[in-house]
Amino acid sequence: QTKPSTQRVTVLGSTGSIGTSTLDVIGRHPDRYSVHALTAHTSKESLLAQCLTHRPAVAVLDDEADAAWLRQELRRAGLPTEVNAGPEALCEVARDASVDCVMAAIVGAAGLLPALAAAEAGKRVLLANKEALVMSGALFMDAVSHSGATLLPIDSEHNAIYQCLPAEHRGGLARHGISQLLLTASGGPFRTWSQADINNVTPEQACAHPNWSMGRKISVDSATMMNKGLELIEACWLFDATPEQIQVVVHPQSVIHSMAAYHDGSVIAQLGNPDMRTPIAYGLAWPERIDAGVETLDLFQVARLDFEAPDEVRFPCLGLAREAMQQGGMAPVVLNAANEIAVDAFLQRQLRFTAIGQLVAEILSRPYEGRVDSLESVLATDQWARQQALELVTRWSA
Ligand code: NAD
Ligand code: MG
């Protein structure tokens, strides 16, 4: 048996929830993976600790003063790590010629350019940053096919669907005998709450997810079910599906991570404990399998699996996302930008929880134009929608 050659990995957003889990899996397999670069926004202490353990060639922070601090600390520890700052430095470590694999785990639109740089450079791209695909689906998938990059979904649902599809599944679901994708959703922490109680939700309550421990933005998205809406859009791009081919199934235990239904009546599901190290390890090792540090599912402990339809009255964000994808063009860009601003305002206690969906709906209803034919137009529409949303936050919180 031949020993696998080592892959050089860049982890974008290494200090976050996905980034930390990625380094946990990488740390279990020093014979297979070495770290080229680690990046963080402002968490310089965490990034320092990660650099001391994983000894990357490059580390990136947003701010030059933070980078100077990290550079000095690393010199003091005797490490030669190069430390850079700013968005262009993120793209550089994503496309560097020595890199095989890029984990795209920055949250939000800030992750788009480096993820796209990795795709354009033909890397193995492990995509956690769903907002990148929501914003630039057509451009991103084009970049992947032009460069020959390998795109592996890390979002647990999409990773599950990927595992349930035939190895070659490009060209539309029907060609491969698939009738529907069943996208499972936990329903979030307020699944059983009344509308009246949902109105008064606090950021602390929204960030306490029943099954998954995640960053704050995606936790709020899970609570509004915008996360499932973004994932529906993500699935359309990844699997050449239409919104009508995707059914959202609320499954509170989060044991089935999603399913593919075939024309012959077969439904194939992927199951596992809710631990992101499983999809991360799958992406890192594909087409092989490696230990992820995740315990085997104990079905006797799970005991039962429940399913219900999503309630789009109490959780309107799912419908907004589906409509944005059906409308196409810039609508998903506007949806995503307005949502990022609204979630941020909610976390800062400037907006109430239910205003998140209201704000997104309001911005989506305003006239905007543009086709997703260039990155510049995507970024311009993103900026426009953010500006509109910020003005609305100011007005509504006054
Ligand atoms: P997080 O908030 O825990 O971590 C985000 C990371 O990105 C951090 O390292 C942070 O320093 C960095 N970052 C934030 N803003 C940045 C900016 N402006 N510029 C550069 N770097 C920046 O988030 P997370 O939960 O790890 O999620 C990361 C992405 O993965 C999100 O797009 C999320 O939707 C997706 N995802 C997460 C999970 C999960 O279980 N956490 C599951 C599926 C998908
Ligand atoms: Mg998910």
Side-chain angles (χ1 to χ4, degrees):
Q1 197 175 344
T2 54
K3 200 170 164 291
S5 60
T6 50
Q7 271 189 68
R8 263 184 98 63
V9 185
T10 281
V11 184
L12 301 167
S14 64
T15 56
S17 164
I18 294 286
T20 310
S21 295
T22 303
L23 289 178
D24 179 277
V25 177
I26 286 177
R28 291 165 192 274
H29 303 279
D31 53 325
R32 297 185 69 120
Y33 306 104
S34 67
V35 176
H36 172 71
L38 298 177
T39 86
H41 189 219
T42 52
S43 322
K44 55 181 195 281
E45 279 93 2
S46 313
L47 190 60
L48 170 62
Q50 291 184 336
C51 288
L52 296 176
T53 306
H54 295 278
R55 303 179 159 259
V58 188
V60 182
L61 281 159
D62 190 49
D63 180 71
E64 181 49 52
D66 286 342
W69 175 87
L70 182 63
R71 210 173 281 132
Q72 192 184 10
E73 292 298 316
L74 289 169
R75 289 304 162 275
R76 190 173 299 167
L79 287 189
T81 315
E82 180 184 327
V83 183
N84 297 323
E88 180 47 33
L90 295 174
C91 294
E92 271 167 34
V93 294
R95 68 166 84 91
D96 191 283
S98 72
V99 169
D100 304 298
C101 174
V102 175
M103 165 56 82
I106 290 173
V107 58
L112 171 59
L113 293 180
L116 200 54
E120 283 165 350
K123 306 300 186 192
R124 172 188 290 237
V125 183
L126 311 188
L127 188 70
N129 179 207
K130 63 193 86 185
E131 296 92 346
L133 209 51
V134 169
M135 292 175 72
S136 73
L139 297 169
F140 200 95
M141 297 310 287
D142 275 355
V144 168
S145 58
H146 282 137
S147 70
T150 304
L151 180 59
L152 293 161
I154 298 303
D155 214 342
S156 58
E157 295 78 2
H158 306 76
N159 189 269
I161 291 168
Y162 192 95
Q163 295 194 45
C164 296
L165 296 185
E168 180 41 63
H169 57 253
R170 295 271 96 220
L173 298 179
R175 270 181 60 177
H176 305 284
I178 299 150
S179 56
Q180 218 174 21
L181 301 178
L182 306 176
L183 190 66
T184 55
S186 70
F190 313 129
R191 179 177 60 89
T192 59
W193 289 33
S194 70
Q195 184 67 62
D197 289 339
I198 291 175
N199 285 338
N200 298 312
V201 155
T202 65
E204 290 70 29
Q205 290 170 319
C207 288
H209 194 276
N211 304 337
W212 301 95
S213 139
M214 309 180 288
R216 281 158 67 81
K217 195 264 177 180
I218 184 177
S219 295
V220 176
D221 285 346
S222 298
T224 61
M225 289 196 77
M226 179 60 91
N227 183 50
K228 215 44 59 180
L230 299 175
E231 290 186 355
L232 186 149
I233 298 173
E234 184 185 14
C236 289
W237 290 114
L238 285 170
F239 306 118
D240 271 334
T242 62
E244 295 72 27
Q245 288 173 311
I246 299 173
Q247 182 171 59
V248 174
V249 178
V250 174
H251 162 48
Q253 291 92 352
S254 298
V255 165
I256 296 182
H257 298 313
S258 280
M259 299 168 258
Y262 286 79
H263 284 304
D264 61 8
S266 298
V267 176
I268 301 187
Q270 187 260 359
L271 289 73
N273 285 317
D275 188 321
M276 289 306 293
R277 290 177 300 176
T278 296
I280 291 167
Y282 180 89
L284 282 168
W286 177 89
E288 294 171 32
R289 298 273 184 170
I290 56 171
D291 172 36
V294 179
E295 276 184 40
T296 305
L297 187 62
D298 180 347
L299 281 173
F300 297 124
Q301 205 183 329
V302 171
R304 57 179 284 176
L305 301 174
D306 295 299
F307 305 98
E308 63 194 47
D311 179 346
E312 295 193 18
V313 177
R314 280 179 305 139
F315 301 101
C317 289
L318 174 56
L320 289 174
R322 186 188 298 108
E323 283 160 26
M325 189 61 193
Q326 282 162 339
Q327 197 181 324
M330 287 294 182
V333 179
V334 174
L335 173 97
N336 179 68
N339 182 58
E340 285 192 30
I341 297 295
V343 169
D344 200 48
F346 166 69
L347 286 170
Q348 293 181 45
R349 296 183 158 77
Q350 295 171 312
L351 279 188
R352 42 197 301 143
F353 184 74
T354 36
I356 296 172
Q358 289 159 2
L359 186 143
V360 173
E362 166 64 27
I363 304 297
L364 272 171
S365 74
R366 294 182 178 179
Y368 54 85
E369 52 182 65
R371 296 200 343 240
V372 186
D373 49 7
S374 74
L375 190 57
E376 290 67 35
S377 58
V378 167
L379 297 177
T381 303
D382 174 71
Q383 281 309 314
W384 171 84
R386 277 168 203 275
Q387 200 50 49
Q388 299 277 315
L390 280 170
E391 283 167 22
L392 211 53
V393 168
T394 310
R395 195 131 55 80
W396 286 4
S397 61

